[in-house]
Amino acid sequence: MNHELFAILCSEAEHRHIHGLLFQHIVLCPTRAWLHYHRVDCYHLNRHMKMGLWLHETAYGGESAEPYFGAGIAPDMLDFVKREVSEVKKSKSHEAAAISQLRFYVAVMQEVTGEPWVGMLRYPSAKRTKRVVLDGPAQLELLEAFAQIKAVIELPVPPAKVEKKICANCSYRILCWGLGTEDEDY
Ligand code: SF4
């Protein structure tokens, strides 16, 4: 992707308040992307989300990035020496969605600094990392995800919900399926 395309993508994302999490949601569920963009949030009701927040705060000694570049990105870690932007994950579940988000972060960091950056997915529980580079195919997928996000958020109502495995742990399951958002432990 040339510099001009990066600049357009980043500027349009900032103008439309399209941030990193939407790049995850669009891969997982367009309904979720629409609900999140239009500020229908149920995170506070879901213990899986609470666990994710706790992990982010504790796994790397609380080293995390502040929300960065306005509403654009809020990565878990930024290393300006290695030029690495990182996301901390609980498990490999939904890795494609995490990669989508990280590609957007890499694009923003490259645009802002004018230098090449890489993304790192960090799995502290498994002591494992995965490197994410913004090569040609990744750039195309980033642009496709961005186009999908724009198409979805412009809809007057959410896209039709489709039941899938992730619904069981989605904070919107109370809205979509009338299911309680707290699990019971047996
Ligand atoms: S409950 Fe399922 S259909 Fe509804 S937003 Fe979540 S993932 Fe999408």
Side-chain angles (χ1 to χ4, degrees):
M1 192 187 295
N2 63 34
H3 171 71
E4 203 172 320
L5 267 178
F6 271 124
I8 291 169
L9 185 148
C10 294
S11 155
E12 198 176 349
E14 187 170 2
H15 177 68
R16 291 171 175 250
H17 302 290
I18 292 174
H19 53 76
L21 210 47
L22 281 168
F23 284 82
Q24 274 200 56
H25 290 331
I26 200 67
V27 173
L28 296 171
C29 173
T31 311
R32 185 151 135 175
W34 191 98
L35 289 169
H36 181 81
Y37 182 78
H38 292 281
R39 306 186 69 85
V40 183
D41 287 323
C42 303
Y43 298 138
H44 56 294
L45 300 174
N46 187 279
R47 75 170 183 170
H48 296 281
M49 294 302 297
K50 287 177 193 165
M51 174 61 82
L53 291 173
W54 176 84
L55 187 76
H56 284 187
E57 285 163 9
T58 58
Y60 291 96
E63 181 189 355
S64 63
E66 292 298 316
Y68 213 58
F69 308 122
I73 68 171
D76 293 327
M77 298 166 68
L78 281 173
D79 186 326
F80 282 88
V81 176
K82 295 180 181 172
R83 294 200 295 270
E84 282 179 1
V85 53
S86 300
E87 276 293 284
V88 180
K89 297 296 173 193
K90 185 169 65 168
S91 75
K92 273 185 69 181
S93 311
H94 319 307
E95 192 170 71
I99 289 172
S100 174
Q101 180 186 32
L102 205 43
R103 283 176 181 153
F104 176 61
Y105 286 176
V106 171
V108 171
M109 294 311 298
Q110 290 189 170
E111 170 56 21
V112 170
T113 64
E115 301 280 353
W117 279 65
V118 296
M120 298 294 285
L121 281 178
R122 299 181 183 276
Y123 301 98
S125 314
K127 296 186 170 48
R128 179 180 163 270
T129 57
K130 181 181 178 76
R131 201 163 181 268
V132 174
V133 294
L134 201 52
D135 56 12
Q139 291 171 14
L140 282 180
E141 289 187 22
L142 174 66
L143 289 175
E144 278 171 22
F146 190 52
Q148 283 173 17
I149 290 169
K150 288 190 289 182
V152 163
I153 64 179
E154 281 169 10
L155 295 172
V157 293
K161 62 197 178 190
V162 176
E163 192 163 13
K164 45 188 120 20
K165 203 173 166 189
I166 62 162
C167 294
N169 294 327
C170 176
S171 61
Y172 291 120
R173 65 192 188 221
I174 192 168
L175 293 181
C176 290
W177 311 109
L179 299 173
T181 56
E182 278 298 344
D183 305 298
E184 290 180 38
D185 292 318
Y186 294 99

